Amino acid sequence: MSSAVFFYLFLQGERAYVRDKVCQEFKTMGKDDFRTLTLIMNSKKFSNATFEEISHLVREIVSLAETCCTDGADPSCYDAGSSALSAKSCGPDSPFPAHSGTAACCVHQGLEQKLCLAALQHPPRQLPHYIEPSNEELCQAFKKDPKDFADRFLYEYVSSYGQAPLPVLLGSTRNFLSMVSTCCISSAPTICFLKEKLQRKTLSLLTLMSNRACSRFTVYGKDKVKFSYLTMLAQMIPSASFEDLSPLAEDASEVFAQCCDSVAEDCMQKKLSEHTAKVCAALSTKDERFADCCAGKDLMQNYFCITALKPATAPKLPELQKPTNKHLCGDDGALHARRYMFELSRRHTNVPDVFLGKLYDASENVIRECCSAKDSSACLDSKRQQVGAELPTFLENTNQFCGQYNEMNFLDFKKRLRDSMKKTMPEASPELLTQLVDQRADFASTCCPANSPPLYCAAQVTAYLESACKQDSCALI
């Protein structure tokens, strides 16, 4: 059994084989590694829990394994211990991570309750909160209490990047703690940290990028991730055709589908490197910026360079032809809709992913609703009329807003916002103006980039559309 799944069996201990598998892990790994993995798994699973809540849960799980996995332990030890753990989770003063679903699980009894509790997990953090301390601060905390330092680092780092695949998190955290323990006792710590951080750069980037990609995959699903990746490339290199970019988007979505939940040690790095090589082979001869990114020897750093590229200037393209009703309700309706939105994205290169995602959702809803209606053409014509009234303003406003953010430095962008708001809100107080400027600037810095957090930004865009919508029902919400 993979160590990545052993935790989920802890509360399912009604059968001897579950106990035997958990105990085999405990004996194979040893108490310290077992405890470390338990801490990582729970920080990943309960990303919004406090350090104290995670620590309580880890202590209980390790104690259960330590007590019941010894030779000669009573066969009922594990079942009784896991039942006690469930009961404590359901208690009014439970020290374990809080979850809105706990009460519903605690209505059940026995194995059903344990299975329900084991399935609970927090949604991923939208914005990583871990900030790496200075070298001096790292060494000060490490020397004060190495074990507490390691525990707190694992909790902070894993709860921030918990959507990265488990093997990536294990490799990255192990590497970081090794660096700290080596450099903090070095006679030349500054040089040591410089060297070690340079060596771990690829691993750090892999953690960051896989967390972003897998967060998006968790929220979007495979098909929408494929669309998101397609439009990202279309905006970076709008001269490329749908046929050039669609296979690359398909390949990327397949990488994330295979590797985000994989426990294979090198799945993400291997597959993402292979994907990067395909992107470079297809696009480096078509665009100088891609060629520059692809010139490096490290494929992970090349991939990071590509995903960090800003949108290109939209080229002059022929007038966009909309798909017909027959196309939309045919066997390839989704493909025609996706191609149309691809064409929109390369003509409005600064409209960010989260806004295009709204169009994707709206198109799916329209196709699902209208193509099953008695009069599909009348339904589609009605929707076209409604979307046609909303879409141009939607695209123009977002393209201009995020375009200014992408082109200007942040201080100039905020100044432009303030000047614009002064004209539209001449009676606003300086305090209110500052508040509104800060809110819009924060939204731009978070949601205009291609790798924006999907849930947070989708909520922000929905709120904006609801406030801006002049009709009873907006097709884009």
Side-chain angles (χ1 to χ4, degrees):
M1 179 183 63
S2 164
S3 58
V5 296
F6 84 89
F7 167 71
Y8 297 100
L9 300 174
F10 257 94
L11 295 177
Q12 304 174 27
E14 296 295 331
R15 299 178 182 175
Y17 81 90
V18 172
R19 177 200 65 213
D20 291 344
K21 286 182 176 180
V22 171
C23 289
Q24 181 183 1
E25 288 290 328
F26 181 78
K27 291 175 180 177
T28 301
M29 298 176 70
K31 179 181 175 180
D32 289 343
D33 285 348
F34 183 89
R35 180 183 175 280
T36 296
L37 184 59
T38 305
L39 176 57
I40 289 174
M41 289 296 296
N42 281 281
S43 298
K44 179 178 170 69
K45 188 181 183 189
F46 299 112
S47 58
N48 295 310
T50 66
F51 176 70
E52 289 70 26
E53 289 170 339
I54 295 295
S55 297
H56 275 294
L57 187 54
V58 169
R59 278 197 297 271
E60 293 281 1
I61 291 173
V62 174
S63 175
L64 176 61
E66 193 173 23
T67 302
C68 300
C69 293
T70 56
D71 293 335
D74 191 311
S76 66
C77 174
Y78 184 88
D79 290 347
S82 62
S83 295
L85 199 55
S86 282
K88 183 177 279 193
S89 297
C90 291
D93 300 317
S94 170
F96 302 144
H99 194 287
S100 58
T102 300
C105 289
C106 295
V107 172
H108 304 298
Q109 298 294 323
L111 179 59
E112 191 174 1
Q113 182 188 89
K114 294 178 182 180
L115 290 169
C116 183
L117 289 170
L120 296 178
Q121 61 183 37
H122 290 164
R125 283 184 182 267
Q126 289 300 295
L127 300 169
H129 63 280
Y130 177 74
I131 300 174
E132 186 175 313
S134 66
N135 297 344
E136 294 75 16
E137 290 170 328
L138 286 172
C139 289
Q140 185 178 9
F142 171 76
K143 290 175 180 178
K144 182 179 179 181
D145 188 336
K147 182 174 177 295
D148 182 70
F149 167 80
D151 286 354
R152 289 183 182 275
F153 163 72
L154 290 173
Y155 159 75
E156 292 281 352
Y157 192 83
V158 174
S159 60
S160 277
Y161 298 103
Q163 291 301 296
L166 181 64
V168 174
L169 286 171
L170 287 171
S172 187
T173 53
R174 188 183 297 122
N175 178 275
F176 183 87
L177 291 173
S178 174
M179 174 187 72
V180 172
S181 63
T182 299
C183 293
C184 288
I185 60 172
S186 169
S187 57
T190 301
I191 296 174
C192 178
F193 272 114
L194 188 63
K195 178 182 175 183
E196 292 290 330
K197 286 181 180 181
L198 192 61
Q199 289 181 347
R200 71 173 259 108
K201 182 178 180 181
T202 296
L203 193 52
S204 296
L205 289 176
L206 178 63
T207 308
L208 172 67
M209 293 183 297
S210 60
N211 180 69
R212 284 176 178 171
C214 294
S215 293
R216 195 167 294 266
F217 187 84
T218 299
V219 173
Y220 282 176
K222 187 176 180 180
D223 286 343
K224 193 171 178 180
V225 159
K226 180 166 61 178
F227 166 76
S228 173
Y229 200 87
L230 174 68
T231 54
M232 179 190 75
L233 290 178
Q235 292 179 326
M236 291 175 178
I237 180 169
S239 58
S241 68
F242 183 83
E243 287 71 25
D244 289 329
L245 301 184
S246 190
L248 298 175
E250 177 74 43
D251 188 68
S253 67
E254 195 60 44
V255 169
F256 304 139
Q258 289 181 24
C259 297
C260 283
D261 291 325
S262 174
V263 294
E265 188 170 341
D266 63 346
C267 181
M268 185 60 81
Q269 184 160 2
K270 180 174 181 290
K271 295 290 185 182
L272 204 52
S273 294
E274 292 172 354
H275 171 71
T276 304
K278 293 176 184 177
V279 172
C280 288
L283 302 180
S284 59
T285 58
K286 297 178 182 293
D287 186 274
E288 187 177 337
R289 296 190 304 162
F290 276 79
D292 289 342
C293 283
C294 294
K297 295 181 180 179
D298 189 308
L299 287 170
M300 283 296 93
Q301 293 187 35
N302 294 355
Y303 179 80
F304 181 75
C305 176
I306 290 168
T307 59
L309 289 174
K310 288 189 175 183
T313 301
K316 290 183 178 180
L317 295 167
E319 184 179 350
L320 180 55
Q321 299 298 311
K322 298 177 182 178
T324 65
N325 293 350
K326 185 178 179 180
H327 282 148
L328 290 176
C329 288
D331 292 338
D332 293 327
L335 176 63
H336 285 289
R338 190 159 61 245
R339 182 186 284 271
Y340 175 70
M341 286 183 284
F342 163 82
E343 295 293 346
L344 278 179
S345 67
R346 68 201 286 239
R347 287 165 169 80
H348 301 85
T349 55
N350 285 297
V351 175
D353 173 80
V354 66
F355 287 88
L356 293 170
K358 282 291 180 185
L359 295 181
Y360 176 91
D361 293 338
S363 72
E364 290 228 310
N365 292 337
V366 166
I367 290 174
R368 185 168 50 249
E369 178 185 342
C370 290
C371 294
S372 60
K374 287 184 179 180
D375 190 342
S376 58
S377 289
C379 179
L380 286 169
D381 288 342
S382 173
K383 294 294 183 182
R384 282 183 195 277
Q385 186 176 3
Q386 186 180 4
V387 172
E390 299 171 17
L391 191 58
T393 301
F394 175 80
L395 290 173
E396 183 59 34
N397 288 347
T398 54
N399 196 59
Q400 182 182 47
F401 178 73
C402 286
Q404 290 173 353
Y405 171 77
N406 289 329
E407 293 165 8
M408 304 170 73
N409 69 56
F410 194 59
L411 291 178
D412 287 342
F413 174 71
K414 288 186 72 173
K415 185 178 183 301
R416 173 74 67 87
L417 278 179
R418 177 177 286 276
D419 292 342
S420 175
M421 286 187 174
K422 275 184 180 179
K423 293 177 182 178
T424 57
M425 303 175 64
E427 297 179 359
S429 67
E431 293 78 13
L432 176 60
L433 203 59
T434 297
Q435 180 184 350
L436 293 173
V437 167
D438 287 344
Q439 286 176 353
R440 297 208 71 187
D442 180 65
F443 171 78
S445 64
T446 306
C447 299
C448 285
N451 291 305
S452 58
L455 284 177
Y456 171 81
C457 291
Q460 297 294 310
V461 171
T462 298
Y464 164 75
L465 288 173
E466 287 174 344
S467 67
C469 187
K470 296 177 182 179
Q471 303 172 22
D472 292 335
S473 174
C474 280
L476 297 177
I477 296 179

